[in-house]
Each structure stands twice: as structure tokens, then as C-alpha cells.
Amino acid sequence: TYTNITGSAQRHQGLELESAVNIARGLELRVTGSLIDAKFQNDVNAIVSNENGAQIGAPVVSYVNGLKVSGFPQQQVSIRLSYRTSIGAGVDFYITPEYRFNGSQYAQFNADNRTNPNDRTQSWKLPDYGMVDLHMGLGWVLTDLTVKKVNVDFHVFNLLDYRDYITYASDGSTHDASSVYVFYGRPRWLDLTLSVGF
């Protein structure tokens, strides 16, 4: 079956911040963050139809007014410290540790399942989490060869090997941890990239 929900209104409002400070030569501190309040603004009507588009039964009302919009973090912070320097012979080196925080994320839910006017409970709120990544690399600039530039980049994601964070959740009937389905995030993983410019 297919559900066509019409007339839904959401309000997304908040603050975003981005700031960068040069602490010393080649050393930069960059902070970005966002704080969002995203909610449904009304209850809406849903028409349920089959694969041929024919309506099945009477329209239903989705009671979502006041519920948080789900599926993405409404609080995010990133703190990045970047150091870049030349080590001679056309070779540059950089290293960038970064801390990332995700919070105020609510489990994904289907608005057409919210048909009980007495159930105004928010979908399950995922636990907040923070994580550290590390990026570093070398770049060579070549002038007398066909190859003009070579970059080697190495990334370590989830440097501290945090194992207990949840990146996605699907809400359940009781809107709590006992009925939710979740996907845990990855443990530490590495990425090595070689790029060549002509």
C-alpha cells in the first residue's frame, strides 16, 4: 500500500556558527556548530491507496502536531585543529585531529502510523555521542615531470574505537528502547588515498 500525506507543515529554526582562528603560522582552529528545533506544526490527513492508485478505506489522520522531525541530529558540533607546514623539496605535510558531536536525534517514524489522538509521545531519542577522527597527509609539487602533483592522505575515523554509538533508529510502538530498531556505528576504520595530478 501507498500513503499520500497532504498538508503537512514543519518548522525548522535554529542557529549555525562557524569560526576559524589562526593560532600560529600554519596552525588553525576551526569550530562549527548548529542548534536546530524542527517540529511538525499540525496534524495531517493521509489517504491510503493500493498499487493502482485506488483509495483503500476512509482517510486517516496522522496525529503528529508537536512531534520532533526525525532522522537527523538537531545538535552538531565540530572542533578541528589543523597544522600545515612545508618540509622542503616541494613537500607539504598536514595533520588535522577533529572532534565531532551529534545530539538531539530522534528515531525515524512513519507519520501514517500515528493514528492514535491520545499518543503524542516523541519518537525515541538516540543517545548523544562524540567521536575523534584524525587526518594527515603529504603533498608533492613537481615541476619538471609529466606528473605535477602527488598527494597521499591517511584518515583514521573513530580514532578511539568507540563501539556504543547509534547512528540510525526506527521508532517502535512504545517509542522507547524496548521497541526501537537501531543501527550501531562502525568501529575504528582507516582510509588511505593516493591521488596524482597531471
Side-chain angles (χ1 to χ4, degrees):
T1 59
Y2 296 86
T3 305
N4 182 25
I5 299 177
T6 60
S8 175
Q10 298 177 4
R11 184 185 65 193
H12 295 243
Q13 62 180 2
L15 299 172
E16 293 185 355
L17 168 70
E18 182 173 357
S19 178
V21 178
N22 291 318
I23 300 173
R25 183 176 180 180
L27 183 62
E28 180 189 75
L29 175 65
R30 182 175 295 271
V31 178
T32 60
S34 63
L35 177 61
I36 301 170
D37 181 42
K39 290 181 179 179
F40 286 91
Q41 296 298 293
N42 61 335
D43 297 328
V44 295
N45 295 320
I47 298 174
V48 182
S49 59
N50 61 22
E51 293 182 355
N52 297 321
Q55 182 174 329
I56 302 174
V60 296
V61 179
S62 297
Y63 295 96
V64 294
N65 186 26
L67 296 184
K68 297 278 190 178
V69 179
S70 61
F72 63 93
Q74 298 194 23
Q75 296 176 4
Q76 290 186 302
V77 175
S78 171
I79 303 173
R80 171 180 288 211
L81 187 65
S82 299
Y83 178 68
R84 184 178 297 270
T85 186
S86 174
I87 58 178
V91 180
D92 290 332
F93 168 77
Y94 76 90
I95 183 168
T96 304
E98 179 182 16
Y99 172 78
R100 296 181 292 113
F101 170 83
N102 288 323
S104 193
Q105 179 173 344
Y106 292 84
Q108 192 80 38
F109 67 92
N110 292 324
D112 53 303
N113 290 334
R114 290 291 193 135
T115 57
N116 182 358
N118 298 316
D119 181 10
R120 300 287 183 166
T121 306
Q122 298 287 352
S123 65
W124 183 69
K125 185 176 180 290
L126 282 66
D128 301 344
Y129 68 91
M131 150 174 328
V132 177
D133 299 331
L134 179 63
H135 315 282
M136 63 179 67
L138 293 169
W140 288 270
V141 176
L142 308 170
T143 57
D144 299 328
L145 300 175
T146 303
V147 175
K148 300 301 181 184
K149 189 171 184 180
V150 177
N151 287 334
V152 177
D153 300 289
F154 180 62
H155 309 277
V156 184
F157 299 99
N158 191 6
L159 177 68
L160 303 180
D161 202 22
Y162 184 40
R163 300 289 183 112
D164 298 325
Y165 68 103
I166 297 171
T167 58
Y168 175 84
S170 178
D171 199 38
S173 58
T174 56
H175 318 304
D176 57 23
S178 66
S179 64
V180 73
Y181 293 90
V182 302
F183 288 91
Y184 283 93
R186 296 176 64 179
R188 182 191 301 121
W189 77 99
L190 312 176
D191 178 76
L192 178 64
T193 303
L194 171 66
S195 60
V196 178
F198 297 93

